[in-house]
Amino acid sequence: MDYKNGSAVTEFILVGISGDWQLQAFFFVTFSLIYGATVLGNILIIVTVATTSTLHSPMYFLLGNLSFLDMCFSTVTTPKMITDLLSAHKSISLWGCMAQMFFMHLFGGAEMTLLIIMAFDRYVAICKPLHYKIIMSHELLNRCIILSWTIGFIHTLSQMVLTVNLPFCGNNIINHIFCDLPLVIKLACVETYTLELLVIADSGLLSFISFILLLVSYTVILVIVRHKSPGRLSKALSTLSAHIIVVTLFFGPCIFIYACPFGIFTSNKTLAVCYTVITPLLNPIIYTLRNQEMKKAMRKLWVQQVSFM
Ligand SMILES: *[C@@H]1O[C@H](CO)[C@@H](O)[C@H](O)[C@H]1NC(C)=O
């Protein structure tokens, strides 16, 4: 491609979900409902944790933070995707595209770190219950939250610093539902082999290693519980299985998309919908519907609100 003669690209065209208008209308309604439920559900969790004093413990603070991140993560891609379903000209400006990738990896990286911190929290709670309050102090918790944002920021910056400087001159069609790093990089009119490797290492390998780390730590917790107090195994199993479901749903697609060689899955729209639209809703469902304490607090909050009116 002749880079000097090519006109600079100022916007990208997102192909989006193809199909006749009935299918598009169906996806529009479905995704709108899911997104609405995601925002409402996660806000409900945040408000419940913040206003209920019995939920002022590390696990629920972490849960509140996870809800906040889920909501942000979904908001980066889903509203744009939904409105695109209705418009004929599905474009996104160059800077809109860059911002989308920046925030996706910021919130995604922070969420990955938070999930690891949540596993550590469960390890301390289940395996060292007597020292739980001392180890998981408010100070440590605050530091953990700051750490998760810092890692998310470094993770996204390390990739985006090189991406924003790429020249785009010819092809600007992205066969996807939002701007995703591996696809955008491929459109640049320079050799991007090194950058592609960096993304595989930075996003793919990172999610793969975190996922393995999480599975190992959950296994360690279960083995320790089985040895020390078999009576509590079923409770630990129920808590951890919820975590494992969330972790698998979030990391699974990420690993397929970023770490698979030859980019077989990079433009897989179903996988993309899974982790940007579905997972952020599943977290509140999995954590609240299975958690008696949370349900009790929400009921109480509801009664209080109703009696206020
Ligand atoms: C996030 O965690 C911190 C504890 O470090 C807590 O103070 C804060 O309320 C949490 N945020 C949410 C939205 O629950």
Side-chain angles (χ1 to χ4, degrees), residues 3 8-9 162-170 184-185 187-190 192:
Y3 165 41
V9 165
L162 296 171
T163 309
V164 288
N165 287 320
L166 288 176
F168 296 96
C169 39
V184 173
I185 290 174
L187 294 180
C189 37
V190 286
T192 54

Side-chain angles (χ1 to χ4, degrees), residues 224-242:
I224 292 179
V225 170
R226 231 181 72 143
H227 270 280
K228 278 173 125 180
S229 45
R232 290 179 34 219
L233 186 62
S234 75
K235 181 154 186 292
L237 211 54
S238 115
T239 312
L240 294 186
S241 59

Side-chain angles (χ1 to χ4, degrees), residues 101-143:
M101 294 186 290
F102 177 87
F103 286 111
M104 236 182 98
H105 284 269
L106 171 66
F107 298 135
E111 188 162 334
M112 279 188 189
T113 317
L114 192 67
L115 288 170
I116 294 175
I117 293 167
M118 288 172 80
F120 174 72
D121 171 70
R122 284 306 84 202
Y123 168 78
V124 178
I126 293 172
C127 301
K128 305 213 180 313
L130 298 179
H131 302 112
Y132 182 65
K133 280 227 161 70
I134 301 166
I135 298 174
M136 290 303 290
S137 64
H138 212 82
E139 202 180 336
L140 182 70
L141 203 59
N142 283 336
R143 271 198 213 138

Side-chain angles (χ1 to χ4, degrees), residues 46 49-50 60-65 68 138 141-143 145:
I46 294 170
V49 171
Y60 292 102
F61 279 142
L62 292 172
L63 224 50
N65 280 277
F68 178 71
H138 212 82
L141 203 59
N142 283 336
R143 271 198 213 138
I145 302 296

Side-chain angles (χ1 to χ4, degrees), residues 110-257:
E111 188 162 334
M112 279 188 189
T113 317
L114 192 67
L115 288 170
I116 294 175
I117 293 167
M118 288 172 80
F120 174 72
D121 171 70
R122 284 306 84 202
Y123 168 78
V124 178
I126 293 172
C127 301
K128 305 213 180 313
L130 298 179
H131 302 112
Y132 182 65
K133 280 227 161 70
I134 301 166
I135 298 174
M136 290 303 290
S137 64
H138 212 82
E139 202 180 336
L140 182 70
L141 203 59
N142 283 336
R143 271 198 213 138
C144 283
I145 302 296
I146 294 170
L147 179 76
S148 81
W149 283 97
T150 312
I151 289 184
F153 189 69
I154 294 172
H155 163 69
T156 190
L157 209 63
S158 64
Q159 303 175 107
M160 291 311 293
V161 156
L162 296 171
T163 309
V164 288
N165 287 320
L166 288 176
F168 296 96
C169 39
N171 189 1
N172 69 340
I173 295 172
I174 301 173
N175 185 13
H176 206 44
I177 45 181
F178 52 80
C179 282
D180 206 7
L181 210 45
L183 294 171
V184 173
I185 290 174
K186 282 223 164 63
L187 294 180
C189 37
V190 286
E191 180 59 55
T192 54
Y193 183 70
T194 333
L195 186 52
E196 279 171 51
L197 273 186
L198 176 77
V199 170
I200 289 177
D202 208 333
S203 295
L205 215 58
L206 199 70
S207 28
F208 185 68
I209 292 173
S210 312
F211 183 59
I212 298 296
L213 215 75
L214 281 167
L215 287 191
V216 168
S217 57
Y218 288 136
T219 313
V220 167
I221 296 175
L222 287 179
V223 168
I224 292 179
V225 170
R226 231 181 72 143
H227 270 280
K228 278 173 125 180
S229 45
R232 290 179 34 219
L233 186 62
S234 75
K235 181 154 186 292
L237 211 54
S238 115
T239 312
L240 294 186
S241 59
H243 284 237
I244 292 172
I245 293 171
V246 167
V247 162
T248 309
L249 285 170
F250 184 67
F251 285 93
C254 289
I255 293 171
F256 273 119
I257 288 168

